[in-house]
């Protein structure tokens, strides 16, 4: 006799609802121990290793590398033998796997798309939940801590059960148009009409699926089949081409691998899913633009004195980077203008309040292979320029390795963005929600500058401050920007402690 335990993907912190499976560290049949890393997953915040709360033999891996898994869904099934002399019986637990119907990918291969089903409660599943409550002692966020809070937190509402008929059509989600479209199929071939995406595309472009042969296995209608049928309509609709006759599936001419875009008529070269860090950045930036009435002010600054100061320090040994000096000036500015180091919170009744902080967590925008991330230097106002330089370098290195924790990547109160490294002078940056301001620094280049009434060549940069106009007016923003600019032009006034 043996018991099968199913480990659900835990909440990995900050309410994240999904994670991409990067790689498995174990295979089916492997013997694993408690807290042994079993998989590496990538969230919108970082890449982490997930340890197992159970010991035993791996019975099933619920996912393939590259797949996006929902929090609370099965990750791995582990068989725990009751006795070492008894054979291992890999009887899988009913893990409420949903009914599925194939969905076509960009390459024309069918995948599996779940229909909306209600998980079936089983004795084994209930036993698993009770065992999971006991905890493994592992300290990964979301599960395994002593005292029971081990069950993965539900982050999505349970969906209503549906009746499944032949063919597999969800009567609760299929529209009347979809049902009408399905009825046009020849009896016995209803299964050739696949995903709602294909049905919707056909309906929107007037393609009769009942007359459309499928290029997939067993006559399965793929996305490219519908796109190929749409192509003749697109060509004929162009001005000056009323008599164009384009190839159709009935001519046995295959459509391009990537399909044809219905709006532009161009061949689609590729499709890239928006996920991971890119998905999180997109959502955050869209929310920032939709919620924050932002305004931007900027100023050109003579950074010659700062550049010369750093060269002098470097000649005597080591010196902080220019960004660390500017970070030091920013913390001084935020202490004088604390309005820019706050956050707006909206209550359920619609009322708003400004939240102020006793301290500054300075976010440093860093470009990585995974996208733009913002690790933050905690209590930055307490650090010298040299200490800021060391911490900025450490955090950006961690972020570029994809090892930043949710706390490191999501705790900032103000962001400093050095886009000058990309060779540009200025940018109207988008505020990193829920912060209320972001300061951008352009490249430092030689420019003509008037010094004491005479024209000279100086090291000039541009500072750009984007701020939330709900928090303050232009006077506060300009005062902060001018303080930072003056410190760059006369750095010794604020760098007595370096």
């Amino acid at each position: 006799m043996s018991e099968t335990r199913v480990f659900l993907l835990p909440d990995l912190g900050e309410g994240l609802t999904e994670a991409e499976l990067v790689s498995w560290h174990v295979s089916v049949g492997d013997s694993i121990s408690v807290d042994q890393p079993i998989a590496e997953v990538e969230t919108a915040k970082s890449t982490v290793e997930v340890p197992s709360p159970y010991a035993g033999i791996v019975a099933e891996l619920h996912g393939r590398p590259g797949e996006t898994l929902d929090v609370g869904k099965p990750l791995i099934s582990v068989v725990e033998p009751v006795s070492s002399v008894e054979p291992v019986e890999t009887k899988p637990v009913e893990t409420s796997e949903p009914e599925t119907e194939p969905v076509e990918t960009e390459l024309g291969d069918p995948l599996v798309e779940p229909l909306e089903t209600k998980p079936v409660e089983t004795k084994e599943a209930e036993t698993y939940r009770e065992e999971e409550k006991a905890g493994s002692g592992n300290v990964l966020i979301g599960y395994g801590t002593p005292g029971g809070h081990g069950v993965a937190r539900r982050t999505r509402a349970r969906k209503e059960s549906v009746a499944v008929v032949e063919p597999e059509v969800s009567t609760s989600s299929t529209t009347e148009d979809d049902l009408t479209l399905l009825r046009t199929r020849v009896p016995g071939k209803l299964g050739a009409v696949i995903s709602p995406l294909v049905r919707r595309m056909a309906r929107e472009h007037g393609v009769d699926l009942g007359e459309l042969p499928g290029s997939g296995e067993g006559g399965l209608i793929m996305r490219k089949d519908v796109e190929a049928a749409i192509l003749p309509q697109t060509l004929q609709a162009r001005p000056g081409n009323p008599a164009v006759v384009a190839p159709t599936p009935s001519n046995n001419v295959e459509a391009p691998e990537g399909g044809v875009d219905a709006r532009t008529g161009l061949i689609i070269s590729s499709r890239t899913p928006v996920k991971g860090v890119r998905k999180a950045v997109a959502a955050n930036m869209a929310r920032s633009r939709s919620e924050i009435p932002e305004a931007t002010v900027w100023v050109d600054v003579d950074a010659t004195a700062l550049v010369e100061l750093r060269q002098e320090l470097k000649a005597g040994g080591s010196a902080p980077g220019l960004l660390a000096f500017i970070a030091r000036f920013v913390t001084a500015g935020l202490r004088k203008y604390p309005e820019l180091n706050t956050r707006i919170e909206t209550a359920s009744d619609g009322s708003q309040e400004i939240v102020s902080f006793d301290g500054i967590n300075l976010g440093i925008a860093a470009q990585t292979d995974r996208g733009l991330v913002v690790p933050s230097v905690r209590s930055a106002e307490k650090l010298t320029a040299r200490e800021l330089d060391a911490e900025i370098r450490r955090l950006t290195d961690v972020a570029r390795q994809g090892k930043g924790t949710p706390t490191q990547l999501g705790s900032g109160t103000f962001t400093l963005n050095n886009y000058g490294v990309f060779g540009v002078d200025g940018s109207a940056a988008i505020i990193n929600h829920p912060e209320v301001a972001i300061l951008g620094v352009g490249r430092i280049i030689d420019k003509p500058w008037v010094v004491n009434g005479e024209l000279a060549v100086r090291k000039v940069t541009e500072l750009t401050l984007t701020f939330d106009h709900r928090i303050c007016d232009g006077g506060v923003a300009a005062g902060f920007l001018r303080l930072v600019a003056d410190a760059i032009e006369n750095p010794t006034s604020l760098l007595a402690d370096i």
Side-chain angles (χ1 to χ4, degrees):
M1 296 295 293
S2 60
E3 296 181 79
T4 301
R5 297 179 174 181
V6 181
F7 174 42
L8 308 182
L9 179 65
D11 179 358
L12 300 172
E14 297 209 349
L16 299 175
T17 60
E18 63 184 20
E20 179 184 346
L21 178 60
V22 177
S23 63
W24 286 106
H25 294 337
V26 296
S27 302
V28 174
D30 288 354
S31 178
I32 61 175
S33 58
V34 174
D35 292 344
Q36 176 180 333
I38 56 175
E40 184 177 40
V41 299
E42 179 182 7
T43 69
K45 296 293 186 181
S46 61
T47 301
V48 297
E49 287 187 332
V50 180
S52 171
Y54 306 129
I57 298 174
V58 178
E60 185 176 357
L61 304 177
H62 299 280
R64 298 187 300 272
E67 286 188 7
T68 298
L69 307 178
D70 291 335
V71 169
K73 295 294 184 180
L75 180 64
I76 189 173
S77 296
V78 179
V79 175
E80 183 182 62
V82 174
S83 173
S84 59
V85 299
E86 294 185 5
V88 176
E89 180 177 312
T90 58
K91 179 181 178 182
V93 175
E94 293 292 333
T95 58
S96 67
E97 290 291 336
E99 298 289 337
T100 61
E101 62 176 356
V103 175
E104 181 204 342
T105 68
E106 61 192 49
L107 298 178
D109 296 326
L111 289 176
V112 173
E113 176 183 280
L115 287 175
E116 295 183 353
T117 60
K118 185 174 182 179
V120 179
E121 297 294 338
T122 66
K123 180 178 180 181
E124 291 90 341
E126 185 172 351
T127 300
Y128 151 66
R129 289 197 305 273
E130 293 298 323
E131 292 169 340
E132 189 184 31
K133 290 178 182 179
S136 67
N138 197 290
V139 296
L140 183 65
I141 297 174
Y143 75 95
T145 54
H149 301 289
V151 178
R153 179 170 56 85
R154 177 175 296 279
T155 57
R156 298 183 180 178
R158 183 181 298 276
K159 298 181 179 179
E160 297 298 326
S161 61
V162 296
V164 179
V165 297
E166 205 46 49
E168 296 178 352
V169 178
S170 172
T171 58
S172 65
S173 61
T174 305
T175 64
E176 183 176 351
D177 288 342
D178 288 336
L179 292 174
T180 301
L181 185 60
L182 286 171
R183 295 190 188 103
T184 65
R185 296 294 296 165
V186 177
K189 294 187 177 181
L190 282 171
V193 182
I194 53 172
S195 75
L197 171 65
V198 174
R199 295 199 295 270
R200 183 173 66 251
M201 182 184 297
R203 182 173 66 252
E204 291 175 351
H205 294 277
V207 176
D208 184 2
L209 292 177
E211 302 297 328
L212 187 64
S215 61
E217 183 178 354
L220 194 67
I221 296 178
M222 316 298 282
R223 180 190 300 164
K224 64 180 181 181
D225 299 326
V226 177
E227 290 173 338
I230 294 171
L231 180 60
Q233 304 172 9
T234 304
L235 293 176
Q236 292 175 4
R238 294 178 182 173
N241 293 302
V244 171
V245 178
T248 65
S250 61
N251 301 132
N252 295 323
V253 178
E254 293 187 5
E257 185 68 24
V260 177
D261 179 51
R263 188 180 72 83
T264 64
L266 299 175
I267 295 175
I268 298 173
S269 60
S270 66
R271 294 179 182 271
T272 304
V274 179
K275 57 185 180 180
V277 171
R278 176 53 53 194
K279 181 177 180 180
V281 170
N284 197 48
M285 296 299 99
R287 183 177 182 183
S288 177
R289 274 289 164 88
S290 65
E291 293 184 8
I292 299 177
E294 60 188 30
T296 303
V297 291
W298 60 91
V299 63
D300 289 336
V301 182
D302 180 3
T304 305
L306 179 60
V307 173
E308 292 176 347
L309 173 62
R310 184 173 184 274
Q311 289 175 345
E312 292 175 5
L313 293 173
K314 195 172 183 180
S318 62
L322 291 174
L323 187 62
F325 285 116
I326 297 175
R328 185 77 175 83
F329 304 149
V330 166
T331 58
L334 292 176
R335 287 200 299 269
K336 184 172 182 180
Y337 298 95
E339 298 94 328
L340 298 174
N341 189 54
T342 59
R343 181 176 71 228
I344 283 187
E345 290 186 354
T346 303
S348 57
D349 61 359
S351 61
Q352 294 182 326
E353 59 182 6
I354 298 175
V355 180
S356 301
F357 306 104
D358 182 15
I360 300 168
N361 287 352
L362 184 60
I364 305 295
Q367 188 66 44
T368 72
D369 293 339
R370 301 169 60 244
L372 182 66
V373 295
V374 187
S376 59
V377 179
R378 300 174 69 83
S379 300
E381 78 283 358
K382 299 179 181 179
L383 305 181
T384 65
R386 292 187 187 277
E387 292 169 337
L388 283 168
D389 183 69
E391 188 65 0
I392 289 172
R393 293 178 188 276
R394 184 187 71 82
L395 287 173
T396 53
D397 183 61
V398 168
R400 290 188 176 114
Q401 293 180 36
K403 301 299 183 181
T405 65
T407 299
Q408 290 173 328
L409 299 178
S411 61
T413 58
F414 183 96
T415 295
L416 177 59
N417 185 7
N418 179 24
Y419 43 72
V421 296
F422 301 114
V424 297
D425 298 327
S427 170
I430 299 177
I431 297 171
N432 185 22
H433 188 279
E435 298 169 15
V436 297
I438 180 172
L439 178 67
V441 183
R443 59 177 178 166
I444 299 177
I445 59 174
D446 291 338
K447 281 187 177 182
W449 196 263
V450 177
V451 180
N452 298 324
E454 296 183 357
L455 194 62
V457 176
R458 307 289 285 182
K459 301 291 185 182
V460 178
T461 187
E462 181 180 282
L463 301 181
T464 306
L465 177 69
T466 302
F467 64 97
D468 187 337
H469 224 314
R470 297 174 299 177
I471 292 292
C472 64
D473 297 323
V476 170
F480 168 83
L481 189 61
R482 192 64 255 175
L483 185 150
V484 176
D486 290 343
I488 292 175
E489 293 181 342
N490 300 283
T492 55
S493 61
L494 283 176
L495 289 176
D497 54 1
I498 303 297

